[in-house]
Amino acid sequence: MKLQSRHKKYLKALGITILAFILSCVMLSPLTFSASSMMSSPERNDFTINDFYNHVADKRLVRTLDRDIVIIDIGDSDREEIAEIIDVVSLCSPRAVGVDVVFEHPREDDSHLIQALAGCPNLVMATSVKSDQSGQHFIPDLQSFFMSDLPEATPGVINFPTTRRDVTIREFQVSYPGQRDTLPSFALAICEIAAPHAARILLDRTNHDEVINFCSRTYVTMSPDEITDRAEELIGKIILLGSLSRKEDLHITPVKSAMTGVEIHAHSIATVLNESYFYKLNKYWNWAIAFSCCFAVLAFSMFIPAGVKGVTMRAFQILILYLTIRYGYDLFINYHIIVNFSYSLLMITFGLLANDFWTGIENIIKHYAPRIKNLLKPKSKVYNLR
């Protein structure tokens, strides 16, 4: 008897979970709303629980000093000073040199700059792109005016997923398909020169974009005045030239409220070189986890006495929230797996709502079922024998 009662409770919990799933689909679809957009949005100043994981991990005392990448802060250097920097860099046998500067318009004397860049080995020049009229391909938008004079230089696209300043940069697009050729991102272009095997692994993943691994990684940085004295630190390195002080190039990232573009590119390149990729669970797995969590909460509630049910359920919800944060962090940091637990939190919320609906329907049926039964019951005829 007890076994049958337990099975009934499990079936009831399953029914309410299905109702919660239906409610979530019906109520959210008309609003063009999704569980993922509840926790993140690509077009507004947003926050995801993964940003929290990134922030906590980045504050750890143990940090990794990158051995492959050196950033040279050009600051407000003029073109002649940048040319002098490149002259020194070219003598250090760099694995790759990425210039995160666009020289859009010619000036009075650019001959030294063009000559220095032409003689720089393994050069990647920054370029930005925009969509063409079809919206399916990309064409160059901004690039250095002398690119045609640098046949050995590789263009690398520096676009980020959004142009808005208040949007968090979490990913970089791997490549940009053009009408004839596919343009590599700045990170991919650098890696194709400096680490072809790592670049091939990136392309074999066939992802449109990749999550940037920002956690606990720092880079050797130099000012122009330090280059000559520290030239040995540049030998065989990937050298990125960019400004670390330009306010117009500051972006929000999960670990910093203001990070320059060249630093974001450095993290993108390091992600590829170290193969420290994140793996996103697809929406079906996220919904399966959400469905299981909702069922577990509802099944647990079926066995709680009515008198302490409210307090116990609140405590259980807090426990679920703690486990979500604790094990979500562990999956994110130690295994590089991204689980969107916003689906689970959403389903639990709708589960409690569905439980109220279910209980209300049950009470209505219990109250009106006898009356309906009496109305439907055929009345017996009474015969008068007189």
Side-chain angles (χ1 to χ4, degrees), residues 43-145:
E43 292 302 331
R44 59 185 173 86
N45 189 6
D46 53 351
F47 176 81
T48 73
I49 195 167
N50 295 325
D51 293 343
F52 170 75
Y53 298 151
N54 264 301
H55 185 75
V56 172
D58 194 59
K59 296 301 180 183
R60 293 177 296 183
L61 296 178
V62 179
R63 301 188 68 80
T64 300
L65 179 63
D66 195 283
R67 297 180 179 181
D68 299 301
I69 300 171
V70 176
I71 298 175
I72 296 179
D73 179 15
I74 62 174
D76 296 322
S77 301
D78 60 25
R79 297 190 181 190
E80 181 63 26
E81 291 169 333
I82 293 174
E84 293 174 359
I85 293 171
I86 294 171
D87 283 335
V88 176
V89 167
S90 300
L91 298 175
C92 298
S93 302
R95 289 168 61 189
V97 178
V99 180
D100 187 20
V101 185
V102 175
F103 304 96
E104 187 178 0
H105 303 291
R107 293 186 181 175
E108 186 174 345
D109 186 10
D110 288 320
S111 58
H112 184 191
L113 175 63
I114 297 173
Q115 182 180 3
L117 290 169
C120 184
N122 304 327
L123 180 65
V124 175
M125 293 293 296
T127 185
S128 66
V129 296
K130 62 182 179 180
S131 299
D132 62 6
Q133 294 181 348
S134 68
Q136 298 178 348
H137 301 99
F138 293 92
I139 57 175
D141 182 21
L142 297 176
Q143 60 180 359
S144 297
F145 71 92

Side-chain angles (χ1 to χ4, degrees), residues 11-315:
L11 287 174
K12 180 179 177 180
L14 179 61
I16 297 174
T17 304
I18 294 172
L19 177 60
F21 182 80
I22 294 172
L23 284 174
S24 67
C25 294
V26 171
M27 297 181 70
L28 297 185
S29 295
L31 301 176
T32 62
F33 186 91
S34 69
S36 58
S37 66
M38 181 181 73
M39 300 296 284
S40 65
S41 171
E43 292 302 331
R44 59 185 173 86
N45 189 6
D46 53 351
F47 176 81
T48 73
I49 195 167
N50 295 325
D51 293 343
F52 170 75
Y53 298 151
N54 264 301
H55 185 75
V56 172
D58 194 59
K59 296 301 180 183
R60 293 177 296 183
L61 296 178
V62 179
R63 301 188 68 80
T64 300
L65 179 63
D66 195 283
R67 297 180 179 181
D68 299 301
I69 300 171
V70 176
I71 298 175
I72 296 179
D73 179 15
I74 62 174
D76 296 322
S77 301
D78 60 25
R79 297 190 181 190
E80 181 63 26
E81 291 169 333
I82 293 174
E84 293 174 359
I85 293 171
I86 294 171
D87 283 335
V88 176
V89 167
S90 300
L91 298 175
C92 298
S93 302
R95 289 168 61 189
V97 178
V99 180
D100 187 20
V101 185
V102 175
F103 304 96
E104 187 178 0
H105 303 291
R107 293 186 181 175
E108 186 174 345
D109 186 10
D110 288 320
S111 58
H112 184 191
L113 175 63
I114 297 173
Q115 182 180 3
L117 290 169
C120 184
N122 304 327
L123 180 65
V124 175
M125 293 293 296
T127 185
S128 66
V129 296
K130 62 182 179 180
S131 299
D132 62 6
Q133 294 181 348
S134 68
Q136 298 178 348
H137 301 99
F138 293 92
I139 57 175
D141 182 21
L142 297 176
Q143 60 180 359
S144 297
F145 71 92
F146 47 74
M147 280 299 292
S148 58
D149 298 326
L150 304 175
E152 301 298 323
T154 302
V157 179
I158 57 174
N159 291 58
F160 291 124
T162 178
T163 57
R164 290 183 52 169
R165 295 287 183 82
D166 59 346
V167 176
T168 304
I169 305 299
R170 303 182 182 90
E171 303 171 334
F172 72 95
Q173 186 168 327
V174 175
S175 58
Y176 297 78
Q179 291 182 344
R180 294 183 179 179
D181 301 317
T182 296
L183 296 172
S185 65
F186 196 73
L188 176 59
I190 291 284
C191 292
E192 284 182 326
I193 294 172
H197 178 68
R200 175 50 52 191
I201 291 175
L202 171 63
L203 293 173
D204 287 345
R205 287 168 59 82
T206 66
N207 290 334
H208 177 267
D209 48 44
E210 291 286 354
V211 177
I212 304 171
N213 195 330
F214 287 101
C215 300
S216 306
R217 185 172 292 274
T218 56
Y219 305 91
V220 174
T221 59
M222 298 183 189
S223 66
D225 297 334
E226 298 175 302
I227 295 176
T228 304
D229 295 333
R230 301 174 61 184
E232 70 279 358
E233 297 181 49
L234 302 177
I235 298 174
K237 304 293 185 180
I238 295 172
I239 302 171
L240 303 181
L241 276 69
S243 176
L244 298 177
S245 57
R246 290 178 58 195
K247 293 182 179 179
E248 59 269 27
D249 194 31
L250 295 176
H251 307 272
I252 302 171
T253 67
V255 296
K256 285 185 180 180
S257 59
M259 181 180 287
T260 58
V262 68
E263 291 177 284
I264 296 174
H265 293 311
H267 283 292
S268 302
I269 294 166
T271 300
V272 179
L273 293 179
N274 295 282
E275 299 178 27
S276 53
Y277 298 111
F278 286 95
Y279 297 86
K280 294 181 182 179
L281 290 188
N282 62 42
K283 64 179 181 179
Y284 302 108
W285 275 108
N286 285 319
W287 275 117
I289 293 171
F291 194 92
S292 300
C293 288
C294 183
F295 174 76
V297 170
L298 292 170
F300 177 75
S301 69
M302 298 295 168
F303 297 92
I304 303 174
V308 294
K309 191 169 187 176
V311 176
T312 307
M313 284 302 298
R314 295 296 176 268

